[in-house]
Amino acid sequence: MKRYDSRKTSYLPENFYNIKADLPELPPPPLNPATGQPLRPEELEPVFPRAFIQQEISAERFIPIPPKVLEIFSIYRPTPLIYASALRKYLDTPARIFYKYEGVGPAGSHKTNTALVQAYLASQEGTTTLTTETGAGQWGSALAFSCRQFGINARVFMVRSSYRQKPGRRIMIELFGAQVLESPSPTTASGLRFYEKDPNHPGSLGIAISEAVEAAVSQPETKYSLGSVLDAVLMHQTVIGLEAMKQCEEFGIEPDLVVGCVGGGSNFAGLSFPFLGKRLREKKSGPRFLAAEPEACPSITRGELKYDHGDTAGFTPLLFMHTLGKDFVPPAIHAGGLRYHGMAPLVSHLVKLGLVEAKAYSQKQIFAAAELFLRTEGILPAPESAHAIAAVIDEALEARKSGREINILFNLSGHGFLDINAYDRTVSGNGHG
Amino acid sequence: MKRYDSRKTSYLPENFYNIKADLPELPPPPLNPATGQPLRPEELEPVFPRAFIQQEISAERFIPIPPKVLEIFSIYRPTPLIYASALRKYLDTPARIFYKYEGVGPAGSHKTNTALVQAYLASQEGTTTLTTETGAGQWGSALAFSCRQFGINARVFMVRSSYRQKPGRRIMIELFGAQVLESPSPTTASGLRFYEKDPNHPGSLGIAISEAVEAAVSQPETKYSLGSVLDAVLMHQTVIGLEAMKQCEEFGIEPDLVVGCVGGGSNFAGLSFPFLGKRLREKKSGPRFLAAEPEACPSITRGELKYDHGDTAGFTPLLFMHTLGKDFVPPAIHAGGLRYHGMAPLVSHLVKLGLVEAKAYSQKQIFAAAELFLRTEGILPAPESAHAIAAVIDEALEARKSGREINILFNLSGHGFLDINAYDRTVSGNGHG
């Protein structure tokens, strides 16, 4: 059998890829919730840095990566593309499985890719503090690291269920010098509404976003930063797919299937969009694209495609996306990063166009997949990323049945070292209640 | 300033490097404790696989890496060599700092490098179980992963203070399918001696080694595996230094100073020995080599160079090394991997020859160094590796005083994600009592 070594490349992209340049039609625009009219860019200025808004609305195919950001990317990028030979052997499948491993970066996930850009752009416009929400804490620690790199402050509203389940990530955020607040918190009107009824409210990303936006617009020199969902955020993550394309070329392979987990959609989009854009430009029928989501928070597979708010309080524009409703509070699953009621409008649009498929997995399935991955490939995945692994295993077993030698590429978006307690069977009995 | 990108190479060594081929004189041999005579290789056969013993006594300069091991190395090797530009900038030093990051491997440290070789060699000789000890759990999880790769069992005696401080690593070992016992345990005579007096005895690597050796020699098809100290183990780790030499060439630099932390000595030796061998062959006066150890367990800086046992019960041969005495029980510092009373005989020998320097650091110093590293470079180091960082910071500040533009290379031997609780200031008050 051909041997595929990992990380053969030293290629680091100098531009982000904007899939909007290649779409057959654009998704419906965000709306101003007060007027019901398409949002004007300047209406976002109280919330986001101007340069970020420009990126959000740009239709250019390539957007340059700021040199200061590239310099920090070079600490951990390009991330390796690894051939999962042991997993393949265990599954006895003709499918060849490759994964892009984003867990090697600071904070242990792909989130740093966009956090660095957002912190840099904010720092260039005199912003001294960025507020944000965080689910599992991966986004919060990425933003805390990035703000520290550019000399600004970070204030992080951390969903309470994660804050308590995952003290490790809270500690990481604090070590980077950022402030962490349990959400719902009593420090904002939108948090207080839930906190007053129940100080132990488990929280949700929707509520935490409301708190962070409120905190940003009510303080001077403070802006808000979002870790997923927005077009620009997805675009920042395309460094993953651009590197992976180059690495696939060096391996001499083309993926037949690209897989990622989805919460807001950013790591899935980051890996997929460059391949999807190529498929659109070349008018091909493949590869396939598969988004794996939790059964406990199944925005695409069970949600409705419609205009909805990105947050619970209704501060954000109306986004046309798959949604479970802005008031949906998902159960406190371990994959805290996927507990979001909505979906990135670009991902939803691609689902609608028939270019992206979705499948939902239970917590039990994803922990079984994660353990198998650990035992074969030696890497402990984040529970979020384990959704992608579960989908890959399904597809690889399907390929065994059909005897098809397909190439599967997936995004291992983060490691699970800080989720280790979730893996402790001696504590939880069956493992993953 | 010149920009140094990380991980430019795809070079993977095909041989381990054996420094004994280049030493001006060999260290004093191990002795049989019963006879006081130099140990004959066959006397080690009840404990170690024969092929491993051959490697331990070999004087060949290069020992081939088994192809099956190379295949698994290629999942995570070559590990990146990273230019610490942010740390350098913070320290405002003319010294250029580079680090080899071993935390990207399975189990998160360099330990997998030798674990894979030992598990492979054992599996080839019909061994069905390997026993071992572990301090912080890094070695135990590396061996558990490696045994799983080659279809054999692992039984791990984990030093009680680490077992309780670091449940994460215990969980990792169990996830890999290995058995974990708190040491001192009641399952061996050498453990029982301490357990009977105090079931909460914090344990030590010396005691845990006695238990693991006893368990190996008393069971059929069971051998023992050691994570450091032995010549062959240090040799397996030279993949680190061999890759680093190649990466330094690609950067166009030569190190003036090579730094690693030492417990048993294996990660320090792994990075240093290829550079040290080159210095010896070329009869140069540099680079310098600096070993950083904990003040709480200062084998080199405070110990005596003499024959002593590698374990507490006196099962192992007498080794000529720096030792605090086989009965020394170090305080329960967070750097559990460095709580060893002795030192690798080869490292001790090089100290005696004046080729290696040593310096001791307090727990407070190393946590301050680790936090600074996290905030600048974005990687959370293991407390063990933080000793190397503390030494590097000292030397970089020294270079600032003298204005010398030296190149410093150090081994970031593992990440600290599973040590995160040790970093929690809100729990521990001042941080790191």
Side-chain angles (χ1 to χ4, degrees):
Chain A
M1 198 189 72
K2 185 170 167 190
R3 188 165 137 222
Y4 301 93
D5 290 331
S6 61
R7 69 184 71 182
K8 282 212 166 167
T9 193
S10 62
Y11 167 79
L12 196 56
E14 295 188 351
N15 294 285
F16 298 118
Y17 167 67
N18 183 359
I19 198 169
K20 282 186 278 189
D22 289 315
L23 289 178
E25 56 180 281
L26 289 175
L31 305 180
N32 180 323
T35 65
Q37 293 302 305
L39 197 73
R40 286 175 294 122
E42 58 271 28
E43 292 174 319
L44 287 171
E45 286 185 12
V47 180
F48 295 111
R50 280 184 303 278
F52 179 82
I53 298 168
Q54 286 311 309
Q55 294 192 347
E56 182 67 15
I57 61 173
S58 172
E60 294 293 316
R61 182 173 283 120
F62 293 107
I63 306 275
I65 304 176
K68 289 271 183 203
V69 170
L70 262 185
E71 204 175 290
I72 304 173
F73 275 177
S74 79
I75 295 180
Y76 67 100
R77 306 210 69 84
T79 61
L81 185 72
I82 302 176
Y83 176 53
S85 59
L87 176 63
R88 184 198 190 196
K89 197 172 153 195
Y90 179 89
L91 297 174
D92 189 23
T93 173
R96 282 173 294 266
I97 304 168
F98 299 84
Y99 55 98
K100 184 76 170 156
Y101 184 33
E102 290 292 305
V104 295
S109 83
H110 67 293
K111 291 290 186 188
T112 311
N113 300 331
T114 182
L116 283 168
V117 186
Q118 295 193 48
Y120 171 73
L121 295 179
S123 75
Q124 295 305 99
E125 295 183 17
T127 295
T128 56
T129 300
L130 282 177
T131 65
T132 199
E133 72 294 331
T134 195
Q138 283 154 332
W139 166 242
S141 44
L143 191 70
F145 165 71
S146 302
C147 285
R148 159 86 27 189
Q149 292 286 314
F150 295 111
I152 61 178
N153 305 310
R155 190 180 309 147
V156 181
F157 291 86
M158 185 167 186
V159 175
R160 180 169 284 107
S161 64
S162 288
Y163 186 98
R164 297 191 176 174
Q165 263 179 8
K166 297 176 198 270
R169 295 205 204 269
R170 188 258 307 156
I171 298 169
M172 278 288 281
I173 300 171
E174 290 175 344
L175 280 171
F176 282 127
Q179 186 191 4
V180 186
L181 298 102
E182 273 183 88
S183 168
S185 85
T187 70
T188 65
S190 29
L192 191 60
R193 186 154 70 91
F194 296 96
Y195 183 84
E196 274 181 338
K197 277 184 233 151
D198 176 10
N200 291 310
H201 191 291
S204 73
L205 277 167
I207 299 170
I209 293 174
S210 296
E211 291 207 81
V213 172
E214 183 184 330
V217 299
S218 60
Q219 300 285 331
E221 276 132 43
T222 301
K223 300 281 177 188
Y224 166 71
S225 179
L226 184 61
S228 191
V229 179
L230 298 172
D231 297 358
V233 173
L234 273 54
M235 185 181 70
H236 299 155
Q237 294 296 352
T238 58
V239 290
I240 304 171
L242 292 165
E243 285 175 12
M245 283 184 94
K246 184 79 174 179
Q247 288 164 318
C248 283
E249 268 174 52
E250 289 175 6
F251 276 144
I253 62 141
E254 281 193 33
D256 300 293
L257 173 66
V258 180
V259 182
C261 65
V262 286
S266 77
N267 94 73
F268 169 75
L271 178 63
S272 298
F273 283 8
F275 291 95
L276 219 163
K278 183 167 179 267
R279 172 176 158 178
L280 289 168
R281 286 191 304 277
E282 297 178 356
K283 301 189 193 309
K284 292 199 171 160
S285 61
R288 288 170 55 213
F289 298 90
L290 176 57
E293 63 181 11
E295 273 184 4
C297 193
S299 326
I300 303 180
T301 55
R302 298 286 185 87
E304 231 183 304
L305 180 60
K306 63 175 188 186
Y307 274 108
D308 193 8
H309 284 285
D311 70 322
T312 302
F315 292 146
T316 76
L318 290 162
L319 303 172
F320 194 74
M321 60 181 180
H322 288 90
T323 175
L324 297 158
K326 72 178 177 60
D327 297 315
F328 180 76
V329 175
I333 55 171
H334 288 290
L338 307 184
R339 294 176 71 243
Y340 184 60
H341 68 275
M343 181 52 53
L346 277 172
V347 172
S348 284
H349 185 60
L350 291 160
V351 170
K352 194 194 106 194
L353 294 177
L355 291 164
V356 167
E357 307 158 40
K359 218 171 149 184
Y361 290 88
S362 72
Q363 182 150 279
K364 199 170 163 181
Q365 286 172 307
I366 67 103
F367 273 105
E371 284 193 32
L372 175 57
F373 193 77
L374 177 74
R375 290 184 175 200
T376 50
E377 294 296 310
I379 297 175
L380 187 71
E384 289 82 1
S385 319
H387 288 74
I389 299 173
V392 166
I393 292 172
D394 264 9
E395 295 281 336
L397 293 177
E398 203 53 52
R400 182 168 75 184
K401 276 191 215 152
S402 64
R404 289 178 60 226
E405 284 191 29
I406 56 168
N407 296 319
I408 302 176
L409 171 64
F410 78 95
N411 200 357
L412 188 61
S413 55
H415 67 64
F417 289 118
L418 294 179
D419 307 280
I420 189 78
N421 294 332
Y423 283 92
D424 191 0
R425 278 169 299 190
T426 64
V427 171
S428 61
N430 71 353
H432 319 295
Chain B
M1 199 190 71
K2 185 172 168 188
R3 186 163 138 224
Y4 300 93
D5 289 331
S6 61
R7 70 181 73 183
K8 281 213 164 162
T9 193
S10 63
Y11 167 79
L12 196 56
E14 295 188 352
N15 295 286
F16 297 118
Y17 167 67
N18 184 358
I19 199 170
K20 282 187 276 188
D22 288 316
L23 288 179
E25 57 181 282
L26 289 174
L31 306 179
N32 179 322
T35 65
Q37 293 301 306
L39 196 76
R40 284 174 296 120
E42 58 271 28
E43 291 173 321
L44 288 171
E45 286 185 11
V47 181
F48 295 111
R50 280 185 302 279
F52 179 81
I53 299 168
Q54 286 308 311
Q55 293 192 347
E56 180 68 15
I57 60 172
S58 172
E60 294 293 316
R61 181 171 284 119
F62 292 108
I63 306 275
I65 304 177
K68 289 271 184 202
V69 171
L70 261 185
E71 207 175 288
I72 305 172
F73 274 178
S74 79
I75 295 179
Y76 68 99
R77 308 210 66 86
T79 60
L81 186 71
I82 302 175
Y83 176 54
S85 59
L87 176 62
R88 185 198 189 198
K89 196 172 153 193
Y90 180 89
L91 296 174
D92 188 23
T93 172
R96 282 173 294 266
I97 303 168
F98 298 85
Y99 56 98
K100 184 76 170 157
Y101 184 33
E102 290 292 304
V104 296
S109 82
H110 67 294
K111 291 291 187 188
T112 312
N113 299 330
T114 182
L116 284 167
V117 187
Q118 295 193 48
Y120 171 73
L121 296 178
S123 74
Q124 295 305 99
E125 294 184 17
T127 296
T128 57
T129 300
L130 281 177
T131 65
T132 200
E133 73 293 331
T134 196
Q138 283 155 332
W139 167 243
S141 44
L143 192 71
F145 165 71
S146 302
C147 284
R148 160 81 35 187
Q149 292 286 314
F150 296 111
I152 63 178
N153 305 309
R155 190 180 307 145
V156 180
F157 292 87
M158 185 167 185
V159 174
R160 180 169 285 107
S161 63
S162 287
Y163 186 99
R164 297 189 175 175
Q165 262 180 6
K166 298 177 198 266
R169 295 207 203 268
R170 188 258 307 157
I171 298 168
M172 278 288 281
I173 300 171
E174 290 173 346
L175 280 171
F176 281 127
Q179 187 192 1
V180 186
L181 298 101
E182 272 183 89
S183 170
S185 86
T187 71
T188 65
S190 29
L192 193 58
R193 188 154 68 91
F194 296 95
Y195 184 85
E196 275 180 338
K197 277 185 233 152
D198 177 10
N200 291 311
H201 189 291
S204 72
L205 277 167
I207 299 170
I209 293 173
S210 295
E211 291 207 80
V213 172
E214 183 184 331
V217 299
S218 60
Q219 300 286 330
E221 277 134 40
T222 301
K223 300 279 179 190
Y224 165 73
S225 179
L226 183 62
S228 189
V229 179
L230 296 172
D231 298 358
V233 174
L234 272 53
M235 185 180 69
H236 299 154
Q237 295 296 353
T238 59
V239 291
I240 304 171
L242 292 166
E243 286 175 12
M245 282 184 93
K246 185 80 176 178
Q247 289 164 317
C248 283
E249 267 173 52
E250 290 175 5
F251 277 144
I253 61 138
E254 281 193 34
D256 300 293
L257 172 66
V258 180
V259 181
C261 66
V262 287
S266 77
N267 94 72
F268 169 75
L271 177 63
S272 298
F273 283 8
F275 290 95
L276 219 164
K278 184 166 178 267
R279 171 176 160 178
L280 289 168
R281 287 193 304 280
E282 297 179 356
K283 302 187 194 306
K284 292 198 172 162
S285 61
R288 287 168 55 208
F289 297 90
L290 176 57
E293 63 181 11
E295 272 183 5
C297 194
S299 324
I300 303 180
T301 53
R302 298 285 186 88
E304 230 183 304
L305 180 60
K306 63 175 187 185
Y307 273 108
D308 194 8
H309 285 285
D311 70 323
T312 303
F315 292 146
T316 75
L318 290 161
L319 303 172
F320 195 75
M321 62 181 179
H322 289 89
T323 176
L324 297 160
K326 73 179 176 59
D327 297 315
F328 181 76
V329 176
I333 54 170
H334 288 291
L338 305 185
R339 294 176 70 244
Y340 184 59
H341 68 275
M343 181 50 54
L346 277 172
V347 172
S348 285
H349 185 58
L350 290 161
V351 170
K352 193 193 106 193
L353 294 178
L355 291 163
V356 167
E357 308 156 40
K359 217 169 152 187
Y361 290 89
S362 72
Q363 181 151 278
K364 198 169 165 186
Q365 286 172 307
I366 68 104
F367 273 104
E371 284 193 31
L372 175 58
F373 192 77
L374 177 75
R375 290 182 175 201
T376 49
E377 294 297 308
I379 298 176
L380 187 71
E384 290 81 1
S385 319
H387 289 74
I389 299 173
V392 166
I393 292 172
D394 264 9
E395 295 280 337
L397 293 177
E398 201 55 49
R400 182 168 75 183
K401 275 192 218 152
S402 64
R404 289 178 59 226
E405 282 191 30
I406 57 169
N407 294 319
I408 302 176
L409 171 64
F410 78 96
N411 200 357
L412 188 61
S413 55
H415 66 63
F417 290 118
L418 294 178
D419 307 281
I420 190 79
N421 294 332
Y423 284 91
D424 190 359
R425 277 168 300 190
T426 64
V427 170
S428 61
N430 72 351
H432 318 296

